[in-house]
Amino acid sequence: MVEVASTTLAERQAARTWLARHGAEVDEPTPLLAVRVGARVLATRSYRLYSALSSVFWIVAVLPPIPVPARFLGFTALVVAYPLLQWRRVRTADRAATRVVAPGARPSFRVAAGQVGRWYLAAVATTFGGGAVLCATLAADPVGWAAALVLGAASVALVLGQALRAPVIAEDEASRAVDAALRTYDTRAFAMPFAFTFLAWIDLSADWPWPPARFVPVVAYFVLGVVLHLRAVFEVRDRRLPPGHYGTEPR
């Protein structure tokens, strides 16, 4: 393979750390893995700050002086825009990789779904399906909630669809295993359905005191979302890469 152009030191270091965390210790990752894995790790390094800012915005979003439609719009824009902007860096890196390694066949939907994780897919279905049901039956502001759900579902579908249908970018069995792992990584990092369960609380904040007929279903929906989100995290937490050539052997 010809070296992938413009792999930076930061990308190689980030890829090496990610590979080690998944059971593959290398001194120097292969150029293909450096550009694909490194871009993803670097794209998510600012997520701690992003999470902190999101928490602050969430507190502001449920304050009574803020109109409910503005709460939906502001929160959804924050949750959708930043991950997708970071995901664009990943797509740029993958396009660079395909200029060196010809993309292979797409995996079957069943195989790709297994790589993404069935608990994650269940979390997506429950978040947006359950949210739509609550919006249609209990919403104080159905228009705002529905618009936010549509925007959220579109952003998740964009990343998830790519993870499920993208061709394999690999030069050997090791990079094929990494390609599968990156489908999982992308959905967790750039398409986070759990965030959209908070839309139910934004709608609920329009009423005080909260009537039990609205409060109890929202709590049940949120708790189910938490459970599925945690299962989606833990179903892939201990996955390890199989033995293979991921780069130069450690000294």
Side-chain angles (χ1 to χ4, degrees):
M1 170 180 165
V2 178
E3 287 247 351
V4 175
S6 69
T7 56
T8 66
L9 177 60
E11 286 174 335
R12 295 193 295 274
Q13 290 176 335
R16 182 169 61 245
T17 301
W18 185 91
L19 289 169
R21 192 162 59 244
H22 288 78
E25 296 276 355
V26 298
D27 259 349
E28 192 77 11
T30 65
L32 177 64
L33 300 186
V35 72
R36 295 197 71 205
V37 176
R40 285 163 166 83
V41 175
L42 295 178
T44 54
R45 278 193 173 167
S46 57
Y47 268 34
R48 288 187 180 181
L49 177 60
Y50 166 65
S51 297
L53 291 175
S54 298
S55 299
V56 172
F57 190 91
W58 164 251
I59 294 172
V60 174
V62 295
L63 293 178
I66 309 297
V68 176
R71 301 178 201 179
F72 279 119
L73 179 61
F75 180 76
T76 304
L78 180 66
V79 172
V80 167
Y82 188 78
L84 288 185
L85 286 173
Q86 299 305 98
W87 185 62
R88 286 182 61 190
R89 298 175 59 180
V90 168
R91 299 288 295 128
T92 299
D94 283 353
R95 284 193 292 270
T98 60
R99 289 195 290 268
V100 180
V101 176
R106 292 183 176 93
S108 69
F109 180 82
R110 183 174 182 177
V111 169
Q115 293 168 351
V116 168
R118 288 173 173 78
W119 283 107
Y120 173 83
L121 295 175
V124 171
T126 301
T127 296
F128 295 106
V133 170
L134 291 180
C135 178
T137 57
L138 301 175
D141 183 0
V143 174
W145 192 355
L149 280 173
V150 169
L151 288 174
S155 70
V156 170
L158 190 64
V159 178
L160 177 57
Q162 182 68 22
L164 292 174
R165 298 303 300 150
V168 174
I169 305 173
E171 58 183 343
D172 53 21
E173 289 305 311
S175 55
R176 183 176 292 273
V178 171
D179 182 271
L182 293 182
R183 294 173 194 268
T184 303
Y185 188 96
D186 287 355
T187 54
R188 271 61 173 186
F190 308 111
M192 300 169 279
F194 177 67
F196 299 101
T197 61
F198 286 91
L199 296 173
W201 294 105
I202 292 177
D203 185 79
L204 197 61
S205 70
D207 284 348
W208 182 259
W210 293 330
R214 294 186 62 223
F215 180 70
V216 173
V218 168
V219 170
Y221 165 70
F222 184 76
V223 170
L224 180 59
V226 171
V227 171
L228 291 175
H229 172 73
L230 291 176
R231 289 302 302 265
V233 170
F234 283 103
E235 77 175 322
V236 297
R237 187 172 184 176
D238 295 325
R239 286 184 185 176
R240 291 292 181 266
L241 295 169
H245 176 68
Y246 298 95
T248 59
E249 294 297 322
R251 298 169 186 171

PDB file of all heavy atoms in Angstrom, residues 127-164:
ATOM      1  N   THR A 127     -36.329   5.662  21.273  1.00  0.00           N
ATOM      2  CA  THR A 127     -36.235   7.109  21.470  1.00  0.00           C
ATOM      3  C   THR A 127     -37.193   7.857  20.553  1.00  0.00           C
ATOM      4  O   THR A 127     -37.975   8.705  21.008  1.00  0.00           O
ATOM      5  CB  THR A 127     -34.804   7.591  21.214  1.00  0.00           C
ATOM      6  OG1 THR A 127     -33.924   7.006  22.183  1.00  0.00           O
ATOM      7  CG2 THR A 127     -34.709   9.109  21.305  1.00  0.00           C
ATOM      8  N   PHE A 128     -37.152   7.544  19.278  1.00  0.00           N
ATOM      9  CA  PHE A 128     -37.958   8.309  18.329  1.00  0.00           C
ATOM     10  C   PHE A 128     -39.380   7.761  18.191  1.00  0.00           C
ATOM     11  O   PHE A 128     -40.326   8.541  18.037  1.00  0.00           O
ATOM     12  CB  PHE A 128     -37.243   8.380  16.983  1.00  0.00           C
ATOM     13  CG  PHE A 128     -35.955   9.151  17.058  1.00  0.00           C
ATOM     14  CD1 PHE A 128     -34.731   8.509  17.014  1.00  0.00           C
ATOM     15  CD2 PHE A 128     -35.969  10.524  17.231  1.00  0.00           C
ATOM     16  CE1 PHE A 128     -33.541   9.217  17.112  1.00  0.00           C
ATOM     17  CE2 PHE A 128     -34.787  11.248  17.342  1.00  0.00           C
ATOM     18  CZ  PHE A 128     -33.573  10.595  17.273  1.00  0.00           C
ATOM     19  N   GLY A 129     -39.537   6.451  18.285  1.00  0.00           N
ATOM     20  CA  GLY A 129     -40.887   5.889  18.257  1.00  0.00           C
ATOM     21  C   GLY A 129     -41.679   6.268  19.497  1.00  0.00           C
ATOM     22  O   GLY A 129     -42.817   6.749  19.407  1.00  0.00           O
ATOM     23  N   GLY A 130     -41.045   6.090  20.664  1.00  0.00           N
ATOM     24  CA  GLY A 130     -41.713   6.461  21.910  1.00  0.00           C
ATOM     25  C   GLY A 130     -41.947   7.958  22.006  1.00  0.00           C
ATOM     26  O   GLY A 130     -43.001   8.403  22.483  1.00  0.00           O
ATOM     27  N   GLY A 131     -40.959   8.739  21.546  1.00  0.00           N
ATOM     28  CA  GLY A 131     -41.126  10.185  21.560  1.00  0.00           C
ATOM     29  C   GLY A 131     -42.279  10.624  20.683  1.00  0.00           C
ATOM     30  O   GLY A 131     -43.042  11.532  21.043  1.00  0.00           O
ATOM     31  N   ALA A 132     -42.434   9.982  19.524  1.00  0.00           N
ATOM     32  CA  ALA A 132     -43.533  10.329  18.623  1.00  0.00           C
ATOM     33  C   ALA A 132     -44.886  10.011  19.247  1.00  0.00           C
ATOM     34  O   ALA A 132     -45.844  10.788  19.120  1.00  0.00           O
ATOM     35  CB  ALA A 132     -43.376   9.584  17.301  1.00  0.00           C
ATOM     36  N   VAL A 133     -44.962   8.875  19.948  1.00  0.00           N
ATOM     37  CA  VAL A 133     -46.222   8.498  20.610  1.00  0.00           C
ATOM     38  C   VAL A 133     -46.575   9.504  21.701  1.00  0.00           C
ATOM     39  O   VAL A 133     -47.715   9.980  21.798  1.00  0.00           O
ATOM     40  CB  VAL A 133     -46.123   7.076  21.185  1.00  0.00           C
ATOM     41  CG1 VAL A 133     -47.330   6.773  22.071  1.00  0.00           C
ATOM     42  CG2 VAL A 133     -46.026   6.054  20.063  1.00  0.00           C
ATOM     43  N   LEU A 134     -45.604   9.849  22.530  1.00  0.00           N
ATOM     44  CA  LEU A 134     -45.861  10.825  23.601  1.00  0.00           C
ATOM     45  C   LEU A 134     -46.221  12.185  23.012  1.00  0.00           C
ATOM     46  O   LEU A 134     -47.113  12.874  23.516  1.00  0.00           O
ATOM     47  CB  LEU A 134     -44.632  10.956  24.495  1.00  0.00           C
ATOM     48  CG  LEU A 134     -44.289   9.754  25.375  1.00  0.00           C
ATOM     49  CD1 LEU A 134     -43.031  10.051  26.191  1.00  0.00           C
ATOM     50  CD2 LEU A 134     -45.438   9.407  26.309  1.00  0.00           C
ATOM     51  N   CYS A 135     -45.523  12.573  21.962  1.00  0.00           N
ATOM     52  CA  CYS A 135     -45.803  13.863  21.327  1.00  0.00           C
ATOM     53  C   CYS A 135     -47.235  13.909  20.801  1.00  0.00           C
ATOM     54  O   CYS A 135     -47.930  14.925  20.925  1.00  0.00           O
ATOM     55  CB  CYS A 135     -44.815  14.102  20.192  1.00  0.00           C
ATOM     56  SG  CYS A 135     -45.070  15.636  19.282  1.00  0.00           S
ATOM     57  N   ALA A 136     -47.695  12.795  20.228  1.00  0.00           N
ATOM     58  CA  ALA A 136     -49.036  12.758  19.636  1.00  0.00           C
ATOM     59  C   ALA A 136     -50.142  12.697  20.679  1.00  0.00           C
ATOM     60  O   ALA A 136     -51.275  13.090  20.408  1.00  0.00           O
ATOM     61  CB  ALA A 136     -49.146  11.557  18.702  1.00  0.00           C
ATOM     62  N   THR A 137     -49.816  12.208  21.891  1.00  0.00           N
ATOM     63  CA  THR A 137     -50.874  11.967  22.876  1.00  0.00           C
ATOM     64  C   THR A 137     -50.843  12.903  24.081  1.00  0.00           C
ATOM     65  O   THR A 137     -51.888  13.173  24.675  1.00  0.00           O
ATOM     66  CB  THR A 137     -50.796  10.517  23.385  1.00  0.00           C
ATOM     67  OG1 THR A 137     -49.482  10.272  23.951  1.00  0.00           O
ATOM     68  CG2 THR A 137     -51.058   9.528  22.253  1.00  0.00           C
ATOM     69  N   LEU A 138     -49.648  13.404  24.439  1.00  0.00           N
ATOM     70  CA  LEU A 138     -49.544  14.129  25.711  1.00  0.00           C
ATOM     71  C   LEU A 138     -48.930  15.521  25.589  1.00  0.00           C
ATOM     72  O   LEU A 138     -48.863  16.246  26.585  1.00  0.00           O
ATOM     73  CB  LEU A 138     -48.691  13.319  26.705  1.00  0.00           C
ATOM     74  CG  LEU A 138     -49.182  11.915  27.064  1.00  0.00           C
ATOM     75  CD1 LEU A 138     -48.146  11.229  27.944  1.00  0.00           C
ATOM     76  CD2 LEU A 138     -50.528  11.984  27.781  1.00  0.00           C
ATOM     77  N   ALA A 139     -48.483  15.922  24.414  1.00  0.00           N
ATOM     78  CA  ALA A 139     -47.654  17.121  24.299  1.00  0.00           C
ATOM     79  C   ALA A 139     -48.420  18.399  24.625  1.00  0.00           C
ATOM     80  O   ALA A 139     -49.561  18.586  24.200  1.00  0.00           O
ATOM     81  CB  ALA A 139     -47.066  17.221  22.902  1.00  0.00           C
ATOM     82  N   ALA A 140     -47.740  19.285  25.363  1.00  0.00           N
ATOM     83  CA  ALA A 140     -48.252  20.639  25.562  1.00  0.00           C
ATOM     84  C   ALA A 140     -47.925  21.506  24.348  1.00  0.00           C
ATOM     85  O   ALA A 140     -48.656  22.422  24.006  1.00  0.00           O
ATOM     86  CB  ALA A 140     -47.640  21.251  26.824  1.00  0.00           C
ATOM     87  N   ASP A 141     -46.798  21.210  23.686  1.00  0.00           N
ATOM     88  CA  ASP A 141     -46.390  21.926  22.477  1.00  0.00           C
ATOM     89  C   ASP A 141     -46.058  20.890  21.407  1.00  0.00           C
ATOM     90  O   ASP A 141     -44.879  20.608  21.137  1.00  0.00           O
ATOM     91  CB  ASP A 141     -45.187  22.815  22.766  1.00  0.00           C
ATOM     92  CG  ASP A 141     -44.758  23.655  21.562  1.00  0.00           C
ATOM     93  OD1 ASP A 141     -45.410  23.539  20.499  1.00  0.00           O
ATOM     94  OD2 ASP A 141     -43.789  24.405  21.670  1.00  0.00           O
ATOM     95  N   PRO A 142     -47.075  20.271  20.791  1.00  0.00           N
ATOM     96  CA  PRO A 142     -46.805  19.186  19.832  1.00  0.00           C
ATOM     97  C   PRO A 142     -46.011  19.627  18.610  1.00  0.00           C
ATOM     98  O   PRO A 142     -45.213  18.858  18.079  1.00  0.00           O
ATOM     99  CB  PRO A 142     -48.211  18.699  19.453  1.00  0.00           C
ATOM    100  CG  PRO A 142     -49.123  19.833  19.779  1.00  0.00           C
ATOM    101  CD  PRO A 142     -48.510  20.526  20.950  1.00  0.00           C
ATOM    102  N   VAL A 143     -46.199  20.862  18.156  1.00  0.00           N
ATOM    103  CA  VAL A 143     -45.492  21.320  16.957  1.00  0.00           C
ATOM    104  C   VAL A 143     -43.985  21.418  17.228  1.00  0.00           C
ATOM    105  O   VAL A 143     -43.155  20.930  16.454  1.00  0.00           O
ATOM    106  CB  VAL A 143     -46.050  22.675  16.485  1.00  0.00           C
ATOM    107  CG1 VAL A 143     -45.216  23.213  15.322  1.00  0.00           C
ATOM    108  CG2 VAL A 143     -47.508  22.530  16.057  1.00  0.00           C
ATOM    109  N   GLY A 144     -43.632  22.064  18.343  1.00  0.00           N
ATOM    110  CA  GLY A 144     -42.217  22.204  18.676  1.00  0.00           C
ATOM    111  C   GLY A 144     -41.548  20.864  18.914  1.00  0.00           C
ATOM    112  O   GLY A 144     -40.425  20.616  18.435  1.00  0.00           O
ATOM    113  N   TRP A 145     -42.225  19.993  19.649  1.00  0.00           N
ATOM    114  CA  TRP A 145     -41.653  18.681  19.950  1.00  0.00           C
ATOM    115  C   TRP A 145     -41.514  17.856  18.675  1.00  0.00           C
ATOM    116  O   TRP A 145     -40.480  17.223  18.448  1.00  0.00           O
ATOM    117  CB  TRP A 145     -42.553  17.972  20.963  1.00  0.00           C
ATOM    118  CG  TRP A 145     -41.960  16.740  21.583  1.00  0.00           C
ATOM    119  CD1 TRP A 145     -40.778  16.132  21.286  1.00  0.00           C
ATOM    120  CD2 TRP A 145     -42.544  15.973  22.640  1.00  0.00           C
ATOM    121  NE1 TRP A 145     -40.585  15.026  22.077  1.00  0.00           N
ATOM    122  CE2 TRP A 145     -41.654  14.911  22.919  1.00  0.00           C
ATOM    123  CE3 TRP A 145     -43.727  16.091  23.368  1.00  0.00           C
ATOM    124  CZ2 TRP A 145     -41.939  13.952  23.905  1.00  0.00           C
ATOM    125  CZ3 TRP A 145     -43.998  15.135  24.356  1.00  0.00           C
ATOM    126  CH2 TRP A 145     -43.108  14.080  24.630  1.00  0.00           C
ATOM    127  N   ALA A 146     -42.540  17.871  17.831  1.00  0.00           N
ATOM    128  CA  ALA A 146     -42.487  17.095  16.593  1.00  0.00           C
ATOM    129  C   ALA A 146     -41.361  17.577  15.687  1.00  0.00           C
ATOM    130  O   ALA A 146     -40.625  16.772  15.093  1.00  0.00           O
ATOM    131  CB  ALA A 146     -43.827  17.182  15.867  1.00  0.00           C
ATOM    132  N   ALA A 147     -41.205  18.893  15.567  1.00  0.00           N
ATOM    133  CA  ALA A 147     -40.135  19.433  14.725  1.00  0.00           C
ATOM    134  C   ALA A 147     -38.768  19.013  15.256  1.00  0.00           C
ATOM    135  O   ALA A 147     -37.866  18.642  14.494  1.00  0.00           O
ATOM    136  CB  ALA A 147     -40.242  20.951  14.670  1.00  0.00           C
ATOM    137  N   ALA A 148     -38.604  19.062  16.585  1.00  0.00           N
ATOM    138  CA  ALA A 148     -37.336  18.659  17.183  1.00  0.00           C
ATOM    139  C   ALA A 148     -37.072  17.176  16.965  1.00  0.00           C
ATOM    140  O   ALA A 148     -35.929  16.761  16.692  1.00  0.00           O
ATOM    141  CB  ALA A 148     -37.355  18.981  18.677  1.00  0.00           C
ATOM    142  N   LEU A 149     -38.100  16.337  17.078  1.00  0.00           N
ATOM    143  CA  LEU A 149     -37.937  14.904  16.841  1.00  0.00           C
ATOM    144  C   LEU A 149     -37.533  14.624  15.397  1.00  0.00           C
ATOM    145  O   LEU A 149     -36.674  13.772  15.134  1.00  0.00           O
ATOM    146  CB  LEU A 149     -39.234  14.164  17.161  1.00  0.00           C
ATOM    147  CG  LEU A 149     -39.518  13.857  18.628  1.00  0.00           C
ATOM    148  CD1 LEU A 149     -40.920  13.274  18.780  1.00  0.00           C
ATOM    149  CD2 LEU A 149     -38.474  12.906  19.210  1.00  0.00           C
ATOM    150  N   VAL A 150     -38.141  15.333  14.458  1.00  0.00           N
ATOM    151  CA  VAL A 150     -37.804  15.133  13.050  1.00  0.00           C
ATOM    152  C   VAL A 150     -36.350  15.510  12.784  1.00  0.00           C
ATOM    153  O   VAL A 150     -35.606  14.773  12.106  1.00  0.00           O
ATOM    154  CB  VAL A 150     -38.749  15.950  12.146  1.00  0.00           C
ATOM    155  CG1 VAL A 150     -38.243  15.963  10.705  1.00  0.00           C
ATOM    156  CG2 VAL A 150     -40.154  15.369  12.199  1.00  0.00           C
ATOM    157  N   LEU A 151     -35.908  16.647  13.322  1.00  0.00           N
ATOM    158  CA  LEU A 151     -34.511  17.056  13.141  1.00  0.00           C
ATOM    159  C   LEU A 151     -33.555  16.056  13.787  1.00  0.00           C
ATOM    160  O   LEU A 151     -32.516  15.704  13.211  1.00  0.00           O
ATOM    161  CB  LEU A 151     -34.298  18.445  13.742  1.00  0.00           C
ATOM    162  CG  LEU A 151     -34.922  19.616  12.971  1.00  0.00           C
ATOM    163  CD1 LEU A 151     -34.765  20.909  13.768  1.00  0.00           C
ATOM    164  CD2 LEU A 151     -34.283  19.759  11.599  1.00  0.00           C
ATOM    165  N   GLY A 152     -33.902  15.610  14.989  1.00  0.00           N
ATOM    166  CA  GLY A 152     -33.064  14.638  15.672  1.00  0.00           C
ATOM    167  C   GLY A 152     -32.989  13.321  14.927  1.00  0.00           C
ATOM    168  O   GLY A 152     -31.902  12.741  14.753  1.00  0.00           O
ATOM    169  N   ALA A 153     -34.129  12.825  14.464  1.00  0.00           N
ATOM    170  CA  ALA A 153     -34.154  11.562  13.730  1.00  0.00           C
ATOM    171  C   ALA A 153     -33.364  11.667  12.433  1.00  0.00           C
ATOM    172  O   ALA A 153     -32.661  10.727  12.039  1.00  0.00           O
ATOM    173  CB  ALA A 153     -35.598  11.160  13.448  1.00  0.00           C
ATOM    174  N   ALA A 154     -33.457  12.808  11.764  1.00  0.00           N
ATOM    175  CA  ALA A 154     -32.710  12.995  10.519  1.00  0.00           C
ATOM    176  C   ALA A 154     -31.209  12.969  10.765  1.00  0.00           C
ATOM    177  O   ALA A 154     -30.444  12.374   9.985  1.00  0.00           O
ATOM    178  CB  ALA A 154     -33.121  14.312   9.866  1.00  0.00           C
ATOM    179  N   SER A 155     -30.771  13.607  11.859  1.00  0.00           N
ATOM    180  CA  SER A 155     -29.330  13.635  12.148  1.00  0.00           C
ATOM    181  C   SER A 155     -28.812  12.246  12.496  1.00  0.00           C
ATOM    182  O   SER A 155     -27.718  11.848  12.067  1.00  0.00           O
ATOM    183  CB  SER A 155     -29.043  14.613  13.292  1.00  0.00           C
ATOM    184  OG  SER A 155     -29.525  14.125  14.529  1.00  0.00           O
ATOM    185  N   VAL A 156     -29.586  11.485  13.270  1.00  0.00           N
ATOM    186  CA  VAL A 156     -29.181  10.124  13.623  1.00  0.00           C
ATOM    187  C   VAL A 156     -29.200   9.234  12.383  1.00  0.00           C
ATOM    188  O   VAL A 156     -28.283   8.428  12.163  1.00  0.00           O
ATOM    189  CB  VAL A 156     -30.098   9.562  14.722  1.00  0.00           C
ATOM    190  CG1 VAL A 156     -29.854   8.061  14.919  1.00  0.00           C
ATOM    191  CG2 VAL A 156     -29.866  10.293  16.036  1.00  0.00           C
ATOM    192  N   ALA A 157     -30.227   9.378  11.556  1.00  0.00           N
ATOM    193  CA  ALA A 157     -30.329   8.552  10.352  1.00  0.00           C
ATOM    194  C   ALA A 157     -29.170   8.799   9.396  1.00  0.00           C
ATOM    195  O   ALA A 157     -28.713   7.877   8.709  1.00  0.00           O
ATOM    196  CB  ALA A 157     -31.657   8.830   9.646  1.00  0.00           C
ATOM    197  N   LEU A 158     -28.679  10.025   9.354  1.00  0.00           N
ATOM    198  CA  LEU A 158     -27.569  10.357   8.463  1.00  0.00           C
ATOM    199  C   LEU A 158     -26.325   9.547   8.823  1.00  0.00           C
ATOM    200  O   LEU A 158     -25.687   8.930   7.959  1.00  0.00           O
ATOM    201  CB  LEU A 158     -27.266  11.858   8.555  1.00  0.00           C
ATOM    202  CG  LEU A 158     -26.296  12.440   7.530  1.00  0.00           C
ATOM    203  CD1 LEU A 158     -26.866  12.314   6.123  1.00  0.00           C
ATOM    204  CD2 LEU A 158     -26.015  13.910   7.857  1.00  0.00           C
ATOM    205  N   VAL A 159     -25.995   9.524  10.100  1.00  0.00           N
ATOM    206  CA  VAL A 159     -24.800   8.796  10.546  1.00  0.00           C
ATOM    207  C   VAL A 159     -25.050   7.295  10.550  1.00  0.00           C
ATOM    208  O   VAL A 159     -24.212   6.500  10.097  1.00  0.00           O
ATOM    209  CB  VAL A 159     -24.387   9.278  11.947  1.00  0.00           C
ATOM    210  CG1 VAL A 159     -23.169   8.497  12.447  1.00  0.00           C
ATOM    211  CG2 VAL A 159     -24.080  10.767  11.938  1.00  0.00           C
ATOM    212  N   LEU A 160     -26.202   6.888  11.081  1.00  0.00           N
ATOM    213  CA  LEU A 160     -26.512   5.464  11.156  1.00  0.00           C
ATOM    214  C   LEU A 160     -26.611   4.843   9.768  1.00  0.00           C
ATOM    215  O   LEU A 160     -26.117   3.731   9.537  1.00  0.00           O
ATOM    216  CB  LEU A 160     -27.823   5.272  11.918  1.00  0.00           C
ATOM    217  CG  LEU A 160     -28.346   3.841  12.042  1.00  0.00           C
ATOM    218  CD1 LEU A 160     -27.327   2.933  12.707  1.00  0.00           C
ATOM    219  CD2 LEU A 160     -29.665   3.819  12.805  1.00  0.00           C
ATOM    220  N   GLY A 161     -27.232   5.554   8.833  1.00  0.00           N
ATOM    221  CA  GLY A 161     -27.327   5.033   7.474  1.00  0.00           C
ATOM    222  C   GLY A 161     -25.963   4.810   6.854  1.00  0.00           C
ATOM    223  O   GLY A 161     -25.726   3.809   6.169  1.00  0.00           O
ATOM    224  N   GLN A 162     -25.042   5.724   7.107  1.00  0.00           N
ATOM    225  CA  GLN A 162     -23.678   5.570   6.593  1.00  0.00           C
ATOM    226  C   GLN A 162     -22.996   4.371   7.241  1.00  0.00           C
ATOM    227  O   GLN A 162     -22.287   3.605   6.571  1.00  0.00           O
ATOM    228  CB  GLN A 162     -22.883   6.846   6.855  1.00  0.00           C
ATOM    229  CG  GLN A 162     -21.461   6.829   6.331  1.00  0.00           C
ATOM    230  CD  GLN A 162     -21.381   6.815   4.813  1.00  0.00           C
ATOM    231  OE1 GLN A 162     -22.325   7.213   4.135  1.00  0.00           O
ATOM    232  NE2 GLN A 162     -20.273   6.355   4.273  1.00  0.00           N
ATOM    233  N   ALA A 163     -23.196   4.197   8.543  1.00  0.00           N
ATOM    234  CA  ALA A 163     -22.580   3.065   9.245  1.00  0.00           C
ATOM    235  C   ALA A 163     -23.117   1.731   8.727  1.00  0.00           C
ATOM    236  O   ALA A 163     -22.377   0.748   8.649  1.00  0.00           O
ATOM    237  CB  ALA A 163     -22.826   3.186  10.743  1.00  0.00           C
ATOM    238  N   LEU A 164     -24.385   1.701   8.375  1.00  0.00           N
ATOM    239  CA  LEU A 164     -25.002   0.453   7.927  1.00  0.00           C
ATOM    240  C   LEU A 164     -24.724   0.138   6.461  1.00  0.00           C
ATOM    241  O   LEU A 164     -24.702  -1.032   6.080  1.00  0.00           O
ATOM    242  CB  LEU A 164     -26.516   0.504   8.150  1.00  0.00           C
ATOM    243  CG  LEU A 164     -26.994   0.501   9.613  1.00  0.00           C
ATOM    244  CD1 LEU A 164     -28.498   0.709   9.670  1.00  0.00           C
ATOM    245  CD2 LEU A 164     -26.610  -0.803  10.315  1.00  0.00           C
TER     246      LEU A 164
END
